[in-house]
Amino acid sequence: MKSQIATLVSTALEQLAQEGLLAADDIKTPVVERTRDSAHGDFATNAALVNTKAARMKPRGLAEKIVAALPESPQIAKVEIAGPGFINFHLTADAYHTVVPQIIEQAHDYGRSALGKGRKVQVEFVSANPTGPLHVGHGRGAAYGAVVADLLQAVGFEVHREYYVNDAGRQMNILAASVWLRYLELAGEELAFPVNGYKGDYVWDIAATLHREHADDYRFDAETVFRGIPADKPAGGDKEIHIDALIERCKHLLGDNRYRYVFELALNTILDDIRDDLEKFGVVYEEWFSERSLMESGAVNKAIERLRKAGYLYEDKGALWFRSTDFGDEKDRVVVRDNGQMTYFASDIAYHMDKLERGFDRVIDVWGADHHGYVPRVKAALTALGDDASKLDVLLVQFAILYRGGEKLAMSTRSGEFVTLRQLRKEVGRDAARFFYVMRKCEQHLDFDLDLAKSQTSDNPVYYVQYAHARICAVLRQASEKNMAIEPSQGTRNLEHLTEPHELALLNNLSRYPEIVEAAALNEEPHQLTHYLRDLANDFHTYYNAHQFLVDDDALRDARIKLVLATREVLRNGLNLIGVSAPETM
RNA sequence: GCCCUCGUAGCUCAGCAGGAUAGAGCAGCCGCCUCCUAAGCGGCAGGUCGGACGUUCGAAUCGUCUCGAGGGCGCCA
């Protein structure tokens, strides 16, 4: 409807240009938008305001000319000029009604479109290090990324969801060493666990598995393990040096095969846990992409070679640097450390190069906001490689702060005292968690009120929207109990009976849905959808309270049932897009 | 110090490719169940859109400055 009106307006402008009233090359594209106030009709355009200069006329005068030049349309009942020169369009009742059969016919496809023309988009999100369970911060990235991906898919992009598994870095070695040390403790050794080691309970669990399956096969006495190792922080040493030495000792004592085994056991256990966690959260991926595979395939070396050939690498203090300042970064960055190890950044360059080589038209990374300083260097690397960095879009997600009883929940990753995503799901449920996580735009800090998320009242937006859906289902059940036909008539038949203001408001809102999905997808803003759903649910609840649906008048009842069926469809589609269930009873 | 994000009603937030009297939900006050789920609905009250200057027919929206909150500035990931 919106685009139809836009076409009418631009036709009128073109005609005025032909008549010489407007300077053709000066015409500005007007905005056609929904009016905020129904007194202003259904749609409005600022065509006259925007083109006063091109016409050298006052806005209202130009508006009159535009209105006179508008082609006829059966959908439009009235056109008015208002305010400083807005042109307001009032739709016919019939134009309102057509949305109902459209929704019923398109069913779960209503709101979907082919806007993306099948272009390939990759969405990479969560990608948390597999060194422990996901916490509530990851949860927001998971919910947000999943909805953005689903939205893009809904508007016709071919979406590839991907989790980048950091299975190659130093952190993984620290994890493996941590598991082994816990194993030694389980086997009866007494030792001082390193400050920098992973201390969560899950480390004990993995160690227990190792101990159960291999008894003392991996055991060495504590003295052998710690002999000659530089002191840890509590003993006045450096915790980094201490843990690195322990890793080397661990590799040395266990040998390649056994070390590899511990490493893999830890990695796989945690990865399985993460995968299971996300799946239960309704988040699934097309691909889990291994960082190690980039190392093993030589992709990282290839990327470094390309940068070297392009002349953007230099050596300094024994390390290899990338001259990212050539591309606007604040300082140059190390890609190979003086100890010969690749930095995380090196594999990230290779990874992003690989993404573009795979032929995605667009690549979206969802990162925690604390990584924002990282964006310029990755873009710099892509530009240096001769790739189009504008294909990469990094969406930064702020932290979620949990509140319980009005109090902020203290969380520190250091001590291992963080609320996991699993705990959150268990406490508030998947639906509430998914909804709350995407209620705010991503760059906004999120205050997550656990009590509200659990409350079964209208204060809770999740229940509010779901309840609207359940209520409709209840109405339909009532209808069949009363032996009323819930198989509605075809097309727009009987819909002329929908004349109440509440009905028109609901119809109008239903017709907005495709525009909302489109805007939410293109702007990567799921919150637009949650706001819309709340609004739609409100229209429905208001209507429900004001009018009886299952009336004796057959034609009116038929019309209302159709309207309510259409509403249910849109509620269901919208909830589905944000990964929230649409219950039939509550 | 430099960079990024955010300052809108008591609280949590929409609105921001400039547009018609700034919106919602909580919380507060007042009403509504002989009627399809009151997990609901209606009404009232509540704002110098952090501040200043500028751009223009018009600024919460754009620009500069300023104040305040958070985050980032490793041969960590």
Side-chain angles (χ1 to χ4, degrees), chain A residues 492-512:
Chain A
T492 53
R493 190 183 161 86
N494 290 329
L495 291 177
E496 68 275 11
H497 295 289
L498 299 179
T499 54
E500 298 287 346
H502 288 124
E503 292 166 337
L504 297 181
L506 191 50
L507 286 163
N508 188 40
N509 227 349
L510 290 172
S511 73
R512 281 174 64 211

Side-chain angles (χ1 to χ4, degrees), chain A residues 388-548:
Chain A
D388 181 2
S390 70
K391 284 184 178 173
L392 170 66
D393 225 340
V394 182
L395 305 178
L396 300 169
V397 179
Q398 283 285 357
F399 299 117
I401 303 159
L402 298 184
Y403 288 82
R404 180 182 285 129
E407 296 287 315
K408 194 189 266 192
L409 253 63
M411 269 191 286
S412 72
T413 6
R414 292 227 166 272
S415 55
E417 281 175 36
F418 47 79
V419 178
T420 63
L421 175 59
R422 187 169 271 118
Q423 286 167 338
L424 179 76
R425 281 207 339 264
K426 201 175 161 198
E427 180 166 349
V428 308
R430 168 180 156 176
D431 286 345
R434 288 287 299 249
F435 197 99
F436 272 63
Y437 269 136
V438 298
M439 237 171 14
R440 307 281 174 241
K441 43 184 179 189
C442 65
E443 67 266 32
Q444 191 84 254
H445 291 272
L446 174 70
D447 284 329
F448 196 123
D449 185 334
L450 292 167
D451 303 315
L452 179 61
K454 280 186 288 186
S455 82
Q456 306 206 344
T457 68
S458 59
D459 305 358
N460 185 341
V462 191
Y463 283 91
Y464 185 83
V465 176
Q466 288 182 319
Y467 182 46
H469 184 269
R471 256 188 165 173
I472 294 171
C473 295
V475 169
L476 298 175
R477 280 192 300 273
Q478 284 285 329
S480 52
E481 276 168 30
K482 291 179 182 171
N483 290 318
M484 292 166 162
I486 46 167
E487 202 56 46
S489 61
Q490 295 293 305
T492 53
R493 190 183 161 86
N494 290 329
L495 291 177
E496 68 275 11
H497 295 289
L498 299 179
T499 54
E500 298 287 346
H502 288 124
E503 292 166 337
L504 297 181
L506 191 50
L507 286 163
N508 188 40
N509 227 349
L510 290 172
S511 73
R512 281 174 64 211
Y513 179 68
E515 292 161 31
I516 297 292
V517 173
E518 182 181 321
L522 297 184
N523 298 310
E524 291 115 6
E525 291 183 341
H527 75 274
Q528 291 198 29
L529 188 50
T530 58
H531 282 270
Y532 168 80
L533 287 172
R534 220 216 152 268
D535 211 42
L536 181 64
N538 180 42
D539 280 346
F540 171 75
H541 287 309
T542 304
Y543 179 37
Y544 178 95
N545 271 38
H547 300 284
Q548 189 81 16

Side-chain angles (χ1 to χ4, degrees), chain A residues 3-19 22 27 29-30 32 47 65-73 89:
Chain A
S3 58
Q4 287 176 39
I5 290 171
T7 308
L8 295 179
V9 172
S10 61
T11 308
L13 288 174
E14 277 164 32
Q15 195 190 319
L16 294 183
Q18 278 182 9
E19 290 171 10
L22 280 169
I27 295 181
T29 321
V32 174
K65 298 283 182 192
I66 295 174
V67 170
L70 280 172
E72 284 293 313
S73 165
F89 297 83

Side-chain angles (χ1 to χ4, degrees), chain A residues 258-277:
Chain A
R258 281 188 295 178
Y259 179 75
R260 188 79 169 183
Y261 185 85
V262 175
F263 187 100
E264 296 288 325
L265 177 68
L267 172 65
N268 291 332
T269 306
I270 291 173
L271 218 44
D272 283 348
D273 174 74
I274 289 175
R275 202 179 275 122
D276 171 73
D277 200 8

